[in-house]
Each structure stands twice: as structure tokens, then as C-alpha cells.
Amino acid sequence: MKGKILVAGGMGFIGSHTTVELQNAGFEVVIVDNLSNSNIEVLDGIERITGVRPAFVKADCTDMAAMRRLFDEYKGINGIIDFAASKAVGESMQKPIMYYRNNLNILLNLLELMPEYGVKGFVFSSSCTVYGEPDHNPITEDAPTKKATSPYGATKQVSEDIIADVIRSGSPIKAILLRYFNPIGAHPSAEIGELPNGVPANLVPYLTQTAIGVRKELSIFGNDYDTPDGTCIRDFINVVDLAKAHVVALERMLDNKSDEALEVFNIGTGDGVSVQQLLDAFERSTGVKVPHKYVARRPGDIVKIWADPKKANEVLGWKAEATLDDTMLSAWKWQQRLRERGIM
Ligand code: UD1
């Protein structure tokens, strides 16, 4: 056993895939999750893939007393990964207080408890949303951050600042901020994947739900942008590759491989792929046609953003490996599995 890791929000999309990779790498995992956007069966999926059922505590990370009970019960936690957050951009515009309260209180509680319980390393789920619309692509970590366009995005920016302030104040912790680009796909086993609540706001779940017939038609938001095919460009990162970045980030802190108390890394492939190219890749790799139409731009969308992942490649020794076609196939396999299980 390499160490004991608390995965806050470990039942969700990225958290569940990261739990798998942590267990595969020899870490012991304790998941804390309030199941507000996930369900208990995720534990079965993780167990079927890894052969190990992680410890699970159903609690809300905003509940300080419950978190203290957790740390008292599971002694010797070495690191925390904080995935626990509300993440829907549109919803955050409707419910800003809920977003700020939830996302920031979770973070503040974890940061306050770390020194009390001797927890050394903290990995924070940040987002390329902190860059706003980039002046140049690919974008590096030292590019300026821009004012967030949603309360969701603002919570990521403020969270990054809070972590920096806490470390500057002398807290005996180390932290790594991972700025994810667009996480997509599912575990190749189709035992775990993304399970959005209600109508998906994100592209890939909407696309796979359309392909299987749950949705009638995919709307492509804008094909008149200043890009080669007129649709927006993103850096779509396979969720298993993304999960592995958390493992190396934790190892870096726990094994004292760096003198820096706070580091930030872009986690992306380095390739800009348009919405149209993503759709084409899905149809090509699966052989399934997706009914779609081109509609007006979605307000607030970034036109183009993709990562320069050189720092993560060189410093963390991490690199995205999955091909886009494999990633699309994994998303499709997961959607089909949901159908087999009668979920969707
Ligand atoms: C958004 C957030 C990001 C967050 C991510 C996951 C911003 C600017 N971005 O990314 O921080 O981490 O969600 O929650 O806040 N599209 C369609 N049709 C659809 C859905 C999407 O054409 O039905 C297009 C969008 O216009 C966009 C692209 O697909 O160009 C990707 O959209 P989406 O999956 O929602 O992710 P982002 O908006 O990039």
C-alpha cells in the first residue's frame, strides 16, 4: 500500500475513474460523496474493474462534524483529491449562492482539516475555464486568467486563489491544481462512465444519447465561428488518461519529488478538435449516424481553446495516450451498457 487517499466526490464521473487508477497503482482509497449527482452502484463498477471495493462514506463535505468523524475513523490519510463540487455552468447562473456555498465550503473544510489530521497532499480539480477566451492557443499555465463568465467558473478561480493563500500563510500542505480541458469517454470496460442528471448540457453525453435514440437530434451550437469548419474547438481529454494524471500528481507530492508547495498543470491532449470533427470521429469509429442540426451559438461559449500540456508531459511524466476514436468508442460502449441495464 502506497498511501491512503480521500477522494471527495469519488462517485462522480472523474472521481470514479480516478479511484480505479489509484487502486490500480496501489493506493488505498476512501470515498466521501453525498450522492447528489451519482449513485451507489458506482462502487460495484469500481470493484468489478479493480477487484477492490473502496471504503465509502456517505456524507456532505460541507458538514464539518461529519468530516471530522471520517478523519477519526480512517486514520492516516496521506492525500486528498477534491472532486466534490457542483459543475453545471447553466445551473450556476440560476443558483449562484448554492454554487459559491457548496463549492467553496467544501474546499475550505478540507483545507482546514488537512493540517489537523496531518494530511500532506491536495489535488484540486480546476478547469481550463479559468483562462476564459485565450489570446493564443495552445495555452500554457502562465497565460493570464480572465474574469469568469459563470459562477461555476468563478468558484474554480476563487478556489485556486484560496489554495494559494492558504499555502502562502504557512500551512504545512502541498497542493497541485489540475486544469482539465474537456473530459470525455468512459472506462474501456464500460463498468463506469458519465451519468448526467436529466438533459445533458455537455456535448458527448448529448451526442451518445442521441445516437441511442433517447434524444431526437443533436444541436450543434454555431457553425459560423472563426474556425476551419465554423464550429468551436476544444481539447477533449479521455477520462482514464485524466484520472492517471491525478495519480502522478499525488505521487509527486507524497514522494517529495518537488520543492514547490503549489504547482499547476494543464491536463489536455494538446490537440484542438472541433465539435464537427468530434461528431465525425464518433460516426467513423462506431459506424452509427447521429441526427444533428446546426443552430445558433450558445451564449458564453469559448470559441477555441486547447492545451499546451508540455509542463505535465515533462514535469509529471504524464501524457494523454488514448486516440479520439478509442475515446468515442468507449463513450458509445458505456451508453449501450446503460441501455442494457435499463437505465437509459
Ligand atoms: C464547460 C465549461 C467547463 C466545464 C465543462 C464540463 C465553460 C466555459 N466551460 O465546457 O469549465 O469543465 O463544461 O462541465 O464554462 N455543444 C454543442 N451541442 C451540445 C452541447 C455542446 O454543439 O448539445 C458544443 C458547445 O457549444 C461547445 C462544445 O460543444 O462548443 C463543448 O461543450 P460542453 O461539452 O458543454 O463543454 P464546454 O462548454 O467546453
Side-chain angles (χ1 to χ4, degrees), residues 8 16 30 51-52 77 104 156 207 233 238 262 270 289 298 309 334:
S16 57
V30 179
V52 178
I77 290 174
L104 299 181
K156 293 296 175 193
L207 190 163
I233 298 179
N238 180 286
L262 177 64
K289 292 284 172 216
R298 182 171 71 176
W334 167 245

Side-chain angles (χ1 to χ4, degrees), residues 102-263:
N102 194 41
N103 294 5
L104 299 181
N105 280 339
I106 291 170
L107 175 70
L108 293 169
N109 284 353
L110 294 174
L111 290 174
E112 191 169 357
L113 288 165
M114 284 181 72
E116 259 181 61
Y117 287 90
V119 186
K120 193 164 149 192
F122 188 73
V123 180
F124 181 69
S125 299
S126 191
S127 166
C128 68
T129 196
V130 300
Y131 296 122
E133 181 79 54
D135 299 323
H136 307 282
N137 281 299
I139 193 155
T140 55
E141 290 82 354
D142 50 18
T145 58
K146 293 189 182 159
K147 188 171 163 39
T149 53
S150 70
Y152 159 78
T155 68
K156 293 296 175 193
Q157 292 183 335
V158 175
S159 294
E160 288 200 354
D161 292 343
I162 290 173
I163 296 165
D165 286 342
V166 167
I167 286 183
R168 212 176 296 126
S169 75
S171 178
I173 64 168
K174 288 188 164 192
I176 290 184
L177 315 178
L178 298 181
R179 291 180 178 157
Y180 312 155
F181 283 67
N182 285 59
I184 61 163
H187 194 272
S189 66
E191 294 289 357
I192 53 173
E194 188 171 10
L195 191 52
N197 256 337
V199 182
N202 293 118
L203 176 60
V204 170
Y206 205 104
L207 190 163
T208 57
Q209 288 189 14
T210 307
I212 211 154
V214 177
R215 313 276 158 214
K216 195 164 125 275
E217 195 167 39
L218 171 70
S219 293
I220 295 186
F221 300 135
N223 62 346
D224 57 352
Y225 284 104
D226 179 22
T227 59
D229 62 29
T231 63
C232 292
I233 298 179
R234 295 289 183 276
D235 185 332
F236 296 100
I237 171 80
N238 180 286
V239 66
V240 175
D241 280 336
L242 171 60
K244 289 177 180 166
H246 297 78
V247 177
V248 289
L250 268 173
E251 287 171 345
R252 181 168 172 82
M253 291 185 287
L254 301 186
D255 299 344
N256 289 314
K257 289 185 197 152
S258 160
D259 299 331
E260 314 260 340
L262 177 64
E263 292 180 295

Side-chain angles (χ1 to χ4, degrees), residues 59-124:
D60 197 310
C61 299
T62 60
D63 179 347
M64 197 64 159
M67 294 307 288
R68 282 221 163 81
R69 282 196 296 276
L70 184 157
F71 280 101
D72 288 336
E73 183 178 352
Y74 295 94
K75 294 213 166 34
I77 290 174
N78 309 96
I80 299 179
I81 309 182
D82 178 15
F83 295 107
S86 304
K87 62 167 188 179
V89 175
E91 184 188 43
S92 79
M93 311 283 246
Q94 311 300 322
K95 302 177 184 167
I97 294 175
M98 192 264 261
Y99 268 68
Y100 286 110
R101 179 173 286 145
N102 194 41
N103 294 5
L104 299 181
N105 280 339
I106 291 170
L107 175 70
L108 293 169
N109 284 353
L110 294 174
L111 290 174
E112 191 169 357
L113 288 165
M114 284 181 72
E116 259 181 61
Y117 287 90
V119 186
K120 193 164 149 192
F122 188 73
V123 180
F124 181 69

